[in-house]
């Protein structure tokens, strides 16, 4: 049986508790302009919907405002824009 140390549990918990903005900034370079753009994007875009295990998250561009649309499955397949709220049939 594999033992889990308290350090491992804490680090996993801390990782889960970090914000999406923090995760995106960890992937960005040290360039201050790029980091500012990533931060602005994270603050202006809502978190994606929960992942449905076998379907994952699908995205595409919104035809109206060109921001990100996410496919929602909880209300039937439906595309929802994160920027303007535009809705389209997801079928």
């Amino acid at each position: 049986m594999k033992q889990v140390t308290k350090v491992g549990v804490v680090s996993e918990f801390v990782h889960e508790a970090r914000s999406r903005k923090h995760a995106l900034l960890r992937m960005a370079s040290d360039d201050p302009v790029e980091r500012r753009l990533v931060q602005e994007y994270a603050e202006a875009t809502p978190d994606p919907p929960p992942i449905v295990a076998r379907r994952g998250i699908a995205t595409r561009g919104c035809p109206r405002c060109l921001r990100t649309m996410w496919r929602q499955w909880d209300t039937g397949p439906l595309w929802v824009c994160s920027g303007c709220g535009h809705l389209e049939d997801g079928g």
Side-chain angles (χ1 to χ4, degrees), residues 40-61:
E40 288 174 3
Y41 168 79
E43 291 171 354
T45 308
D47 288 340
I51 295 175
V52 177
R54 60 185 171 185
R55 294 183 179 139
I57 294 178
T59 62
R60 71 177 193 190

Side-chain angles (χ1 to χ4, degrees), residues 2 52 61 82 89:
K2 183 180 176 183
V52 177
S82 64
D89 181 32

Side-chain angles (χ1 to χ4, degrees), residues 1-61:
M1 172 183 263
K2 183 180 176 183
Q3 289 185 332
V4 177
T5 64
K6 289 185 178 185
V7 174
V9 172
V10 171
S11 64
E12 286 180 25
F13 173 76
V14 170
H15 179 69
E16 290 292 322
R18 288 186 175 135
S19 68
R20 180 171 143 256
K21 179 171 69 172
H22 177 78
L24 291 171
L25 285 171
R26 285 184 58 209
M27 293 184 277
S29 71
D30 291 334
D31 177 38
V33 174
E34 180 181 341
R35 295 183 69 78
R36 181 181 51 80
L37 292 173
V38 167
Q39 185 168 349
E40 288 174 3
Y41 168 79
E43 291 171 354
T45 308
D47 288 340
I51 295 175
V52 177
R54 60 185 171 185
R55 294 183 179 139
I57 294 178
T59 62
R60 71 177 193 190

